[in-house]
Amino acid sequence: MRHVIALDVGGTGMKAALVGVEGTLLHEARRPTGRERGPDAVVESILAFAAELRAYGEEHLGESAVAAGVAVPGIVDAENGVAAYAANLGWRDVPMRKLLSERLRGVPVALGHDVRTGGLAEGRIGAGKGADRFLFVPLGTGIAGAIGIDGRVEPGAHGFAGEIGHIVVRPGGIACPCGQRGCLERLASASAVTLAWAEASGDPDADAADCAKSVESGDRRAIAVWQNAVDALADGLVTALTLLDPRVLIIGGGLAEAGETLFAPLRAAVEERVTFQKLPEIVPAALGDTAGCLGAGLLAWDLVATTTDSGSGPDSAPAPASGSGADSDSDSDSSEVTA
């Protein structure tokens, strides 16, 4: 059965799959990154995991994978196949595409940024399926974004398109590691809600999920914390939709797991703020924590199509659908903070 290898590398764990032509998950597996052993060990873990997946495909699906796609956090030079920097993993300038292709005996490899890769999957086969323009925003440890245009994700001229978490929505507000103050992700991410609710409730162990439950039970302190986050998020999203005019706005990550506790007030807050802008459909992400893996599979299939059309070799074609991204801690950890 014809298939590709798909890898989604997070801060602490890796998700992987063998993906069929129609995006079908034929086999799934998970492994820790082993980051406690250092960046070189993480790279070796990725390469060994990919080799295991290749062997599984040969044994159980009757042939080797025709390509591989890998999504990684941090700053990614997708054109040159280099994982440039990831704070959570400690690596710099890892020639990931070259190393993986060598370990996989020369198959073509596509490299993408994790959030954009997840956005690619959500846009093509998930909540944004059929939409010509979408914006995917995961709310997790941080906040990032993926701008979808006609079935691809726009990386920007320098690979930083979609970093909505660093739109300043409260000038002079909370300091952000990026160097600004009042960034959206310091107010409306799952980690921001966790910090605010822990302080408001007096419980240092309370988190965003606890806040959501308290909102549902009518706790006034929780409602105030939640509304502050929703208002900040709406301000950031209206700025984004003013610039991008998406047809569908897809909200994912851990905070989105609160369901209508988040979406009902968020839709209302966005609607209150728009004037001339067209209000997009605001929907929850559909693919959960499989989005990155499925997106990596799509990158791999795109690469197969590109190399087939051009007749070029495995090392000559860059990943066509996802570029680099800022390391805002809104990568794989975005799905690990649940609400």
Side-chain angles (χ1 to χ4, degrees):
M1 184 177 293
R2 208 157 180 254
H3 64 278
V4 297
I5 293 169
L7 281 162
D8 178 19
V9 180
T12 57
M14 298 181 285
K15 307 175 192 74
L18 298 180
V19 183
V21 177
E22 300 299 324
T24 307
L25 291 175
L26 305 173
H27 170 67
E28 295 180 77
R30 298 186 182 225
R31 296 282 189 284
T33 59
R35 67 175 180 175
E36 68 280 358
R37 294 181 284 119
D40 291 342
V42 173
V43 173
E44 178 54 35
S45 294
I46 295 169
L47 300 180
F49 198 11
E52 285 180 32
L53 291 162
R54 176 189 172 91
Y56 183 95
E58 290 173 341
E59 180 179 353
H60 295 277
L61 301 177
E63 61 178 296
S64 296
V66 294
V70 57
V72 298
I75 299 173
V76 183
D77 179 355
E79 184 175 356
N80 293 304
V82 175
Y85 175 71
N88 287 340
L89 297 173
W91 65 33
R92 287 182 181 272
D93 299 323
V94 178
M96 188 64 72
R97 187 172 70 203
K98 179 176 182 292
L99 293 173
L100 266 174
S101 185
E102 289 174 350
R103 184 65 65 95
L104 296 174
R105 304 175 194 169
V107 302
V109 174
L111 178 69
H113 178 252
D114 59 349
V115 171
R116 292 197 181 97
T117 302
L120 178 68
E122 283 289 353
R124 282 199 199 169
I125 61 176
K129 185 177 181 180
D132 56 347
R133 300 287 190 279
F134 70 87
L135 177 63
F136 170 60
V137 181
L139 310 173
T141 305
I143 298 177
I147 302 165
I149 304 173
D150 290 332
R152 59 180 293 273
V153 173
E154 172 57 45
H158 306 96
F160 295 102
E163 288 294 334
I164 185 176
H166 296 291
I167 291 176
V168 174
V169 293
R170 299 291 181 267
I174 302 170
C176 180
C178 79
Q180 302 182 114
R181 302 187 73 89
C183 286
L184 177 61
E185 72 173 41
R186 302 298 293 163
L187 297 152
S189 62
S191 58
V193 173
T194 290
L195 289 172
W197 178 233
E199 181 178 357
S201 67
D203 180 359
D205 296 322
D207 62 13
D210 297 322
C211 185
K213 291 174 184 175
S214 295
V215 169
E216 292 162 8
S217 66
D219 188 306
R220 291 185 179 181
R221 299 169 303 167
I223 291 169
V225 168
W226 198 257
Q227 193 62 50
N228 283 339
V230 167
D231 287 342
L233 181 57
D235 288 340
L237 291 176
V238 169
T239 297
L241 68 88
T242 301
L243 291 172
L244 301 173
D245 188 25
R247 199 172 304 279
V248 179
L249 182 54
I250 305 166
I251 308 296
L255 208 60
E257 293 180 17
E260 286 303 301
T261 301
L262 173 67
F263 283 92
L266 178 61
R267 291 186 185 107
V270 171
E271 187 171 2
E272 287 172 3
R273 286 161 171 76
V274 297
T275 54
F276 66 90
Q277 304 94 335
K278 294 293 184 181
L279 191 66
E281 185 180 4
I282 302 175
V283 299
L287 302 176
D289 69 355
T290 64
C293 220
L294 287 167
L298 291 173
L299 287 180
W301 281 118
D302 283 356
L303 190 54
V304 170
T306 300
T307 54
T308 300
D309 291 345
S310 66
S312 46
D315 293 327
S316 61
S322 179
S324 59
D327 189 13
S328 62
D329 285 334
S330 53
D331 47 39
S332 60
D333 292 335
S334 66
S335 63
E336 294 172 7
V337 180
T338 58

